Amino acid sequence: MASMIESAWTYLIKNFSDFQLTCLGGFVLHESVFFLSGLPFLLFERAGWFGKYKIQKKNNTPEAQEKCITRLLMYHLCVNLPILIVSYPVFKFMGTRSSLPLPSWKVISTQILFYFILEDFVFYWGHRILHTKWLYKHVHSVHHEYATPFGLTSEYAHPAEILFLGFATIIGPAITGPHLITIYLWVSLRVLETVEAHSGYHFPWSPSNFLPLYGGSDFHDYHHRLLYTKSGNYSSTFVYMDWIFGTDKGYRKLKSLKENERHAEGKVM
């Protein structure tokens, strides 16, 4: 497996420049992972599939779904791609490289775990700031246009928010100066995580059923369907920041009430 990856990477660095791999390759990777993982949830909602696993019973209209896709394509092409291109010198300054040898899996996994932890901490505070009255009204309310989220709404946001919260994603790599393949994996995993959190579905195989402290779709869906002043659940990946600062009390209370209701129904049956 390792030799296959190294052979594929050797082909890439021989046929594409470092700029192409970093900026254009990073953009193509992001778009591929994002749309391939997000579009199925749009299809599930539109077709009415997996209804028993849907967290909210409400559905978005086809027009609302199409608006989301159109805006996303515009934001990605007009905001994300230019930022990637302009940021190339920053990637080089922070030590990103694409050359061989590739880092070990131990190094890659350690760095990505660090990125998740750091990103979650920074994102929590940035997201919480966006829920202050003025910033919510003028910036973050765009993301909350979809009270019933589906996978693709994860990146539906005001351009200013894309820049502001994007800092949380890049700060880890900026500190460690990783290999480009590590950034590829980090971006892919982060995209998959946020798409799942906005999916609107909680399946028996959802990661939150198996990974301790992982928030997931049920945790974040609660954040979208409540008023901004009372929502809480500001974390991106894990739940401990909300637990420490008490911003998940409403969610925990609701979960407790639902569990008590299920127990009561079980006793009656």
Side-chain angles (χ1 to χ4, degrees):
M1 181 67 177
S3 60
M4 288 178 61
I5 294 172
E6 187 167 318
S7 296
W9 194 262
T10 300
Y11 173 83
L12 288 175
I13 60 177
K14 282 184 177 180
N15 290 276
F16 300 95
S17 69
D18 192 68
F19 170 80
Q20 289 173 324
L21 290 173
T22 303
C23 300
L24 304 182
F27 180 75
V28 170
L29 175 73
H30 171 273
E31 297 303 290
S32 300
V33 175
F34 177 69
F35 282 104
L36 288 174
S37 63
L39 282 171
F41 294 110
L42 182 149
L43 178 62
F44 296 163
E45 186 179 71
R46 184 172 291 195
W49 297 342
F50 304 108
K52 68 177 181 177
Y53 300 120
K54 199 170 188 302
I55 299 168
Q56 297 186 52
K57 299 308 175 187
K58 295 183 294 182
N59 286 326
N60 293 284
T61 64
E63 291 76 20
Q65 293 177 335
E66 290 161 12
K67 175 189 174 185
C68 177
I69 294 174
T70 302
R71 291 281 182 88
L72 282 169
L73 290 172
M74 181 180 71
Y75 290 154
H76 287 186
L77 288 170
C78 299
V79 180
N80 293 14
L81 180 57
I83 289 172
L84 263 177
I85 292 172
V86 171
S87 299
Y88 178 68
V90 179
F91 282 103
K92 300 310 295 180
F93 176 78
M94 69 188 195
T96 301
R97 66 178 181 87
S98 59
S99 58
L100 294 173
L102 296 177
S104 68
W105 284 110
K106 183 179 179 180
V107 169
I108 292 173
S109 58
T110 302
Q111 288 182 332
I112 289 178
L113 177 60
F114 171 67
Y115 300 162
F116 267 115
I117 294 170
L118 182 61
E119 191 275 345
D120 204 60
F121 177 83
V122 176
F123 184 97
Y124 174 87
W125 292 110
H127 191 188
R128 197 167 170 179
I129 289 169
L130 286 173
H131 275 265
T132 54
K133 190 173 182 179
W134 191 91
L135 283 172
Y136 182 88
K137 180 181 179 181
H138 296 282
V139 179
H140 194 50
S141 59
V142 173
H143 182 64
H144 278 268
E145 285 179 23
Y146 292 88
T148 306
F150 54 93
L152 294 179
T153 60
S154 58
E155 295 193 6
Y156 182 89
H158 192 286
E161 178 175 341
I162 294 171
L163 291 170
F164 184 59
L165 291 183
F167 174 74
T169 303
I170 202 64
I171 186 172
I175 291 172
T176 61
H179 193 279
L180 185 58
I181 199 170
T182 305
I183 294 182
Y184 278 6
L185 286 169
W186 160 234
V187 169
S188 299
L189 290 172
R190 179 68 180 97
V191 168
L192 290 172
E193 180 275 321
T194 192
V195 166
E196 192 275 330
H198 289 82
S199 68
Y201 290 83
H202 186 72
F203 298 108
W205 55 86
S206 293
S208 56
N209 294 329
F210 307 100
L211 299 177
L213 302 179
Y214 184 89
S217 56
D218 187 65
F219 186 80
H220 194 70
D221 197 273
Y222 175 87
H223 174 81
H224 271 265
R225 65 181 184 263
L226 264 69
L227 292 172
Y228 82 95
T229 52
K230 301 177 181 178
S231 56
N233 291 18
Y234 299 117
S235 300
S236 60
T237 304
F238 306 112
V239 300
Y240 65 89
M241 289 291 290
D242 283 285
W243 178 78
I244 290 171
F245 293 99
T247 46
D248 64 347
K249 288 180 179 177
Y251 172 71
R252 298 297 170 195
K253 184 177 180 181
L254 181 63
K255 280 200 75 172
S256 179
L257 287 171
K258 286 184 176 181
E259 287 174 8
N260 290 337
E261 287 175 5
R262 281 196 291 268
H263 288 318
E265 289 174 1
K267 289 179 180 179
V268 171
M269 292 175 66

